[in-house]
């Protein structure tokens, strides 16, 4: 199974610039070994199961709480599909195969 999630999570009580707390979430994802892609508005992650995906989101939430964040906002989109992994790179590649190079 391949589970793609697109999520953004950030504190609402830490001022205007959020790169410091958000960078800790990205470091956690990087260190977890999951396939991920950081974008300007969120992060894409691919896991084998929905439970694994939701566990990462829970870890991100706990990490922000541990940094003293008292109010946390999260937006999550989920696309799960039976079949092999690799859709994080495969979906953009399928579009590029039709129209040529695309920014990812």
């Amino acid at each position: 199974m391949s589970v793609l999630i697109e999520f953004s999570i950030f504190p609402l009580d830490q001022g205007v610039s959020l790169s410091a707390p958000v960078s800790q979430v990205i470091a956690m994802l990087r260190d977890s070994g999951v396939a991920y892609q950081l974008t300007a508005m969120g992060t894409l992650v691919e896991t084998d199961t929905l439970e694994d995906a939701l566990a990462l989101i829970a870890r991100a939430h706990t990490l922000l709480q541990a940094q003293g964040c008292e109010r946390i906002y999260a937006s999550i989109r989920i696309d799960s599909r039976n079949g092999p992994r690799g859709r994080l790179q495969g979906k953009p590649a399928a579009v590029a195969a039709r129209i040529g190079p695309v920014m990812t």
Side-chain angles (χ1 to χ4, degrees):
M1 172 175 260
S2 167
V3 177
L4 293 178
I5 58 170
E6 179 180 42
F7 78 107
S8 58
I9 186 167
F10 51 89
L12 294 177
D13 60 349
Q14 300 295 309
V16 177
S17 177
L18 300 175
S19 62
V22 169
S23 66
Q24 297 303 306
V25 172
I26 301 306
M28 179 273 295
L29 290 173
R30 180 196 63 210
D31 296 345
S32 75
V34 299
Y36 74 95
Q37 182 179 24
L38 178 63
T39 74
M41 297 295 290
T43 305
L44 300 165
V45 176
E46 184 171 18
T47 64
D48 291 323
T49 68
L50 180 58
E51 292 78 14
D52 290 344
L54 295 175
L56 286 170
I57 294 166
R59 284 178 60 192
H61 191 273
T62 300
L63 180 64
L64 291 175
Q65 283 181 318
Q67 292 180 48
C69 303
E70 294 186 19
R71 186 169 182 192
I72 300 166
Y73 176 87
S75 173
I76 306 160
R77 297 185 331 161
I78 301 169
D79 174 9
S80 61
R81 180 177 179 180
N82 289 328
R85 291 191 53 175
R87 294 186 311 135
L88 191 61
Q89 296 84 21
K91 291 177 82 158
V95 172
R98 293 181 182 270
I99 66 169
V102 296
M103 291 181 65
T104 58

